[in-house]
Amino acid sequence: MEILVCVRRVPDTSENEIRLNDAGNDIERDELVYSINEWDNYAVEEALQIASRTGGKVTVVTVGSEDDEEVLRRQMAMGAHQAVLLADEAFDGSDGQGIATILSAFVKKGGYDLILTGVQAEDGAGQVGGMLAAMLDYPFASLVNAIEVVDGKTLRVGREVEGGNQEMHEIDLPCVLSIQTGINEPRYVGMRGIRQVASVPIPTLGAGDLGVDPASVGRTGARVTRTDYFVPVLGKGAEMLGGSREEIIDKLIELMRANGGLK
Amino acid sequence: MPRIFTYIEHRAGVPDDTAAELAAAAARIDGSAAPTAILAGAGPDLAAAANALKATHAEIWTIAADALAHPNAELARQALVAVLPPGSIVLVPHAHFGLDLAPGLAVKLKAAYIPDVLAIEGLESGSLNVVRQEYGGQVSAHVRGDVSSGAVVTIRPGAIKPQPGASANGTVVDKSSTVGTLSARRRYLNTVVAEVGEVDITKHAVLVSVGRGIQDQDNVKIAEELAQTLGAAVSCSRPVVDAKWLEKSRQVGSSGKTVKPKVYLACGISGSFQHLAGLKGSPFIVAINKNPAAPIFQVADVGIVDDVLEFLPELTTRVREIHGA
């Protein structure tokens, strides 16, 4: 089975405290730790496991810039057979629909049986997989937490739904699935593995190579644009306890008693 | 002004709570016209859900087909594309079914897709201005969507408060005949119901809940020791289950259990909206997290910026001293 996994490099929210820049038009990107989007990492692992059972290759692709090569290499070190970078100035500022448009042009140039994305990215909202499927007119399932290959034409997939229940579906190939975290245990990638793929060439394709109309993507094509960032205020905010750890613990115990958490 | 539709999820003849939230969202876009509710389904359940909306909606469109009895977004999308007028704004709950339905619906309607909206600031000369969150809720963004060719907007459940509306005495319009034969390349099989674990976290008054900040499976025992001392149970957020450090039955959140404790100790939990969706009944929330920007501090009652691996053992020791005294 030929499998394509769409991945992204994102600031790692578990490693970073995200702050706004002084202008308020972007997050402060200096000193941010970037990594593979967590959902995408599970998607690559799932692709590798399927390919090892059915045969075939796993390709990873991203829409981005040279900086994003590091995540493509990391996924090759994990076992992906090849990687492609889709980069062009015309792609800058694309909204979700723009990204899906670029990816769909790339998919049409290959012969993939199965296309995986992560459910969402750290800075996204779970949109690219579903839009890509609709553009390709492939069937789609989101929040996938189990995949079983029935035969060369069909998969049986589980979707994670309310309350931890799992909705089972049969889906025809080719299809697009968005992968939920926890579907597998992604393998560890060591420095040695990354060194081994350090010089593997990664082809770069632009708008011309893909036959993408530059006006349909990037800032020009975007119908959904961010105007600024701000720090959210959801509730009244917590009463922050200060002082020494000992003082904080005493205060906390008092509060827990008052609220029924300690007899 | 574009016509506004709200896509209503329903179960066993009862509209989902999000129905009223979508109506409130619609009123934020256009306060002068009531939105049209649209429901897909089959049989008496669909009719009952549509009737239940009469009190609050002026017009309710139903699409009935046997194939729509079970959740299948591909079929629902075909049905919606067949009945929706061009240029409509369609509001959909940003939940498990909406994630399946809405992105592809936007593509097929050639409409803008504006996902996971928390607040609507209004419609101004063809642009819909909304608020979204990024980076797990650490920052928010103002977002502008060009809705001149219509839009599909998903609304985060619980984010927009329902408003008491005027009594509507609405009419139900059956649109089923507009929809041709539905056929999908995806077929619903069955739903596997989540298992109940050996510890039922929904029954506990106090929960010591651990997140990614616990860092390692071996550290879960730090929370277990505190829980034992407090007579509490250990629950967790999603990353802990993904890492297989605790059973799925311990997970609090929209994809896990809904809990109603009196006191909730969120230990090393960032506080994603999916996690918070599982917390009901206004518990007293204590958040302990190294990251002062963690969204959990916005909803907690009490916040402590500290490393849970150091803080929890000291708290356990202190509680034991008190109990011993």
Side-chain angles (χ1 to χ4, degrees):
Chain A
M1 196 174 289
E2 292 299 309
I3 309 175
L4 178 70
V5 189
C6 309
V7 303
R8 258 184 101 177
R9 172 177 169 270
V10 295
D12 186 338
T13 50
S14 65
E15 292 291 328
N16 294 290
E17 187 185 319
I18 307 287
R19 293 182 179 282
L20 303 189
N21 67 5
D22 291 341
N25 58 3
D26 197 4
I27 59 169
E28 186 57 64
R29 291 183 185 271
D30 293 349
E31 293 170 32
L32 275 186
V33 178
Y34 283 84
S35 60
I36 175 87
N37 179 44
E38 194 181 356
W39 287 264
D40 302 346
N41 199 39
Y42 284 92
V44 171
E45 176 63 38
E46 195 63 20
L48 293 172
Q49 291 187 15
I50 294 169
S52 76
R53 291 198 296 271
T54 66
K57 286 198 303 294
V58 174
T59 304
V60 288
V61 65
T62 193
V63 179
S65 67
E66 273 175 24
D67 290 342
D68 300 304
E69 274 195 25
E70 64 172 357
V71 300
L72 294 176
R73 286 198 196 282
R74 189 192 175 280
Q75 301 318 102
M76 280 198 288
M78 231 172 131
H81 302 87
Q82 56 196 37
V84 182
L85 174 65
L86 309 180
D88 196 307
E89 275 179 22
F91 299 164
D92 294 350
S94 290
D95 62 3
Q97 187 178 307
I99 302 283
T101 302
I102 297 160
L103 288 171
S104 71
F106 176 72
V107 171
K108 284 174 188 160
K109 294 180 78 72
Y112 301 102
D113 304 295
L114 175 61
I115 298 160
L116 305 181
T117 69
V119 162
Q120 64 179 72
E122 298 285 0
D123 58 349
Q127 51 186 329
V128 169
M131 295 181 106
L132 175 62
M135 287 174 185
L136 295 165
D137 210 22
Y138 287 180
F140 170 66
S142 66
L143 297 159
V144 169
N145 64 359
I147 300 177
E148 186 194 327
V149 179
V150 177
D151 54 41
K153 290 178 180 159
T154 319
L155 302 179
R156 188 169 296 136
V157 300
R159 293 188 65 230
E160 182 185 271
V161 294
E162 292 83 355
N165 295 348
Q166 190 185 33
E167 221 176 70
M168 301 304 296
H169 293 260
E170 226 172 48
I171 190 164
D172 295 343
L173 295 169
C175 68
V176 180
L177 305 176
S178 84
I179 302 298
Q180 180 60 292
T181 56
I183 187 173
N184 52 41
E185 293 181 59
R187 64 199 70 182
Y188 175 75
V189 179
M191 282 313 293
R192 188 160 163 266
I194 290 176
R195 273 199 301 273
Q196 277 170 347
V197 296
S199 55
V200 177
I202 295 179
T204 302
L205 302 179
D209 306 309
L210 297 170
V212 169
D213 173 10
S216 69
V217 296
R219 270 178 207 95
T220 335
R223 283 192 279 182
V224 181
T225 48
R226 190 192 305 111
T227 49
D228 67 359
Y229 277 114
F230 63 100
V231 177
V233 183
L234 280 185
K236 59 181 175 14
E239 176 197 343
M240 300 305 288
L241 300 186
S244 69
R245 190 177 280 154
E246 207 168 303
E247 287 163 356
I248 288 174
I249 285 174
D250 284 343
K251 178 77 179 145
L252 176 60
I253 284 173
E254 202 178 295
L255 285 165
M256 284 173 59
R257 252 200 201 113
N259 288 280
L262 195 64
K263 289 182 186 76
Chain B
M1 184 63 78
R3 186 161 180 179
I4 303 174
F5 291 86
T6 57
Y7 182 81
I8 312 295
E9 291 190 35
H10 55 96
R11 187 167 301 177
V14 181
D16 189 68
D17 288 347
T18 50
E21 296 171 15
L22 296 184
R28 297 281 300 149
I29 300 172
D30 180 4
S32 66
T36 302
I38 188 160
L39 297 81
D45 277 359
L46 175 65
N51 280 329
L53 292 167
K54 280 181 176 175
T56 49
H57 290 72
E59 198 167 325
I60 301 118
W61 288 11
T62 56
I63 306 166
D66 289 343
L68 295 169
H70 298 295
N72 188 330
E74 193 179 5
L75 294 168
R77 184 179 85 199
Q78 286 171 39
L80 290 172
V81 169
V83 304
L84 287 167
S88 302
I89 294 179
V90 191
L91 308 184
V92 179
H94 191 80
H96 301 89
F97 191 74
L99 275 168
D100 237 21
L101 170 72
L105 179 63
V107 168
K108 294 298 181 188
L109 292 172
K110 298 185 167 53
Y113 184 50
I114 311 176
D116 196 16
V117 167
L118 274 83
I120 291 175
E121 305 201 316
L123 183 64
E124 199 182 351
S125 54
S127 283
L128 184 63
N129 297 311
V130 303
V131 172
R132 294 197 47 222
Q133 280 185 345
E134 296 186 10
Y135 303 105
Q138 293 196 56
V139 292
S140 288
H142 289 110
V143 169
R144 183 181 297 145
D146 173 358
V147 300
S148 53
S149 307
V152 175
V153 184
T154 62
I155 307 288
R156 184 182 290 186
I160 298 180
K161 294 276 166 292
Q163 301 296 324
S167 147
N169 194 22
T171 25
V172 176
V173 183
D174 183 0
K175 288 281 176 181
S176 311
S177 62
T178 322
V179 178
T181 314
L182 297 171
S183 72
R185 294 152 300 175
R186 184 177 127 186
R187 294 160 294 280
Y188 171 81
L189 300 172
N190 61 299
T191 298
V192 183
V193 177
E195 288 174 23
V196 181
E198 53 189 86
V199 173
D200 186 352
I201 58 169
T202 66
K203 300 279 197 292
H204 279 79
V206 182
L207 290 174
V208 177
S209 207
V210 294
R212 210 190 287 268
I214 205 77
Q215 288 181 23
D216 193 88
Q217 182 157 27
D218 290 344
N219 295 331
V220 173
K221 67 174 185 294
I222 294 174
E224 277 163 357
E225 281 164 13
L226 176 61
Q228 202 175 24
T229 313
L230 293 170
V234 172
S235 58
C236 66
S237 64
R238 159 161 221 123
V240 175
V241 175
D242 286 348
K244 317 275 191 276
W245 297 340
L246 279 168
E247 293 289 315
K248 177 89 181 159
S249 60
R250 302 277 189 141
Q251 185 186 332
V252 173
S254 56
S255 303
K257 300 277 187 257
T258 300
V259 296
K260 293 181 180 174
K262 278 188 192 162
V263 174
Y264 190 74
L265 292 169
C267 311
I269 289 177
S270 67
S272 73
F273 81 90
Q274 292 94 338
H275 180 72
L276 299 173
L279 266 182
K280 300 287 183 205
S282 310
F284 183 74
I285 302 175
V286 178
I288 306 148
N289 202 300
K290 272 197 293 198
N291 179 359
I296 189 78
F297 289 126
Q298 294 164 36
V299 295
D301 295 278
V302 167
I304 296 156
V305 179
D306 204 345
D307 183 345
V308 292
L309 300 183
E310 294 176 20
F311 186 84
L312 296 186
E314 287 195 33
L315 177 59
T316 306
T317 307
R318 187 80 188 100
V319 174
R320 278 182 186 151
E321 281 168 18
I322 293 168
H323 282 184

